[in-house]
Amino acid sequence: MNKMSKKFAIMGMMLSLMLTGCGNSNENYEETVAIEESLDDLSDAPIDQVSVDNLNEDKQESTDLLDYYKSIEDYGLYDEQNLVGIKISNPKTGESKKYIFNCVKSFAMGSDEYGNVEDFMNQAKDTANGQISDEVIENSNIVMVIYVYESPVLENVQLREMRTFYEYEEDNQKRRMMIDESKFYNFDDDIYVLNRVVTTADYTFSNGVFIQGDDMTLNPSLLETIILPQGVYTLEDLEDLQEEINKPEENKTLDYEMQE
């Protein structure tokens, strides 16, 4: 087992890992799990070279539209709708760093389609991690949404996110729970972060695992979403914004006063 595999094994003991693929039958499920594995294999092809067109082969009209309507990134531009800013905090040093990511892929799957697939239900139970019983989960309406992010300006950082929604009945009342799990990697600094947020109508709590080298630390919250200014950006704009959001607060104040 290599060094990275050992880290994943440690994190897996602390939090359930994310599922990153789906299909609309057992056969397609297995096929798209292979896509999932290629997304998580850092030695594999870049995300934009992974094809999921086979999932839509019966939707010719949709494929034609996709051929016609390009992504804004095909024009060298980015907008805030696909961008997300995050802040990663080191619980030992108290230091934090902010990153900009762009959502490049997303997958959605629901229990009405995949509840008969054992891996889907097992993943739903693992993610719940005892928050609700297995029996309740088996009778719940479940939707998983997976997001794959890449940094437009930094090469050796990655972000993956999975949101799982559970709708179930308890005491003859409809209840909902959402679990948001994020995996962050910074390979230059040898940092791996797993963060989990559980939200219900009655409460919200979070916990996380921060690993740097061989050192692991548990903390209530390690990943925070930050608001990025609305707009359309070039790559150069994002490089400037990445630098700006990591400036010390006093330097930002000084820059603002000079502009005034």
Side-chain angles (χ1 to χ4, degrees), residues 93-155:
T93 65
E95 297 176 346
S96 63
K97 187 172 181 180
K98 298 173 183 176
Y99 302 86
I100 298 171
F101 284 97
N102 186 51
C103 184
V104 294
K105 296 286 182 185
S106 64
F107 304 89
M109 63 187 89
S111 56
D112 56 337
E113 300 167 286
Y114 307 105
N116 61 332
V117 179
E118 185 178 358
D119 286 353
F120 175 88
M121 192 55 65
N122 287 340
Q123 179 64 34
K125 293 175 181 178
D126 289 344
T127 304
N129 198 25
Q131 295 299 310
I132 47 180
S133 70
D134 289 357
E135 182 180 359
V136 170
I137 291 173
E138 289 170 2
N139 294 289
S140 296
N141 180 33
I142 304 168
V143 177
M144 295 181 190
V145 188
I146 294 95
Y147 302 90
V148 179
Y149 299 90
E150 288 186 342
S151 170
V153 295
L154 300 173
E155 291 185 357

Side-chain angles (χ1 to χ4, degrees), residues 5-204:
S5 296
K6 290 179 181 177
K7 284 187 170 67
F8 288 161
I10 293 172
M11 291 189 288
M13 290 187 291
M14 308 309 302
L15 296 173
S16 60
L17 295 178
M18 296 188 296
L19 181 69
T20 54
C22 65
N24 48 7
S25 67
N26 284 332
E27 181 179 352
N28 281 344
Y29 183 87
E30 293 174 359
E31 185 175 352
T32 50
V33 164
I35 295 175
E36 168 213 336
E37 291 170 351
S38 72
L39 292 176
D40 273 345
D41 185 350
L42 302 177
S43 65
D44 237 324
I47 294 295
D48 58 6
Q49 293 181 18
V50 178
S51 172
V52 292
D53 287 345
N54 58 321
L55 301 181
N56 296 312
E57 59 187 5
D58 295 329
K59 301 178 181 178
Q60 186 61 45
E61 182 179 352
S62 174
T63 303
D64 291 342
L65 287 174
L66 289 175
D67 288 341
Y68 182 79
Y69 293 106
K70 296 182 179 180
S71 165
I72 189 173
E73 294 159 48
D74 292 332
Y75 301 92
L77 299 172
Y78 302 83
D79 65 65
E80 83 288 343
Q81 294 185 33
N82 281 340
L83 294 174
V84 61
I86 65 167
K87 181 171 77 171
I88 299 292
S89 299
N90 185 324
K92 285 208 165 182
T93 65
E95 297 176 346
S96 63
K97 187 172 181 180
K98 298 173 183 176
Y99 302 86
I100 298 171
F101 284 97
N102 186 51
C103 184
V104 294
K105 296 286 182 185
S106 64
F107 304 89
M109 63 187 89
S111 56
D112 56 337
E113 300 167 286
Y114 307 105
N116 61 332
V117 179
E118 185 178 358
D119 286 353
F120 175 88
M121 192 55 65
N122 287 340
Q123 179 64 34
K125 293 175 181 178
D126 289 344
T127 304
N129 198 25
Q131 295 299 310
I132 47 180
S133 70
D134 289 357
E135 182 180 359
V136 170
I137 291 173
E138 289 170 2
N139 294 289
S140 296
N141 180 33
I142 304 168
V143 177
M144 295 181 190
V145 188
I146 294 95
Y147 302 90
V148 179
Y149 299 90
E150 288 186 342
S151 170
V153 295
L154 300 173
E155 291 185 357
N156 292 322
V157 294
Q158 285 190 353
L159 180 66
R160 301 288 187 267
E161 180 182 14
M162 182 175 78
R163 294 182 178 181
T164 307
F165 302 84
Y166 303 82
E167 184 179 62
Y168 56 98
E169 281 196 9
E170 188 174 80
D171 299 327
N172 295 320
Q173 289 187 336
K174 286 276 189 180
R175 298 189 182 275
R176 294 182 181 87
M177 179 174 71
M178 184 188 82
I179 299 178
D180 191 342
E181 290 188 347
S182 300
K183 294 194 296 185
F184 168 83
Y185 316 85
N186 182 328
F187 300 105
D188 288 337
D189 296 335
D190 198 16
I191 290 174
Y192 306 83
V193 173
L194 262 168
N195 201 72
R196 154 188 273 247
V197 179
V198 179
T199 303
T200 72
D202 302 319
Y203 61 86
T204 297

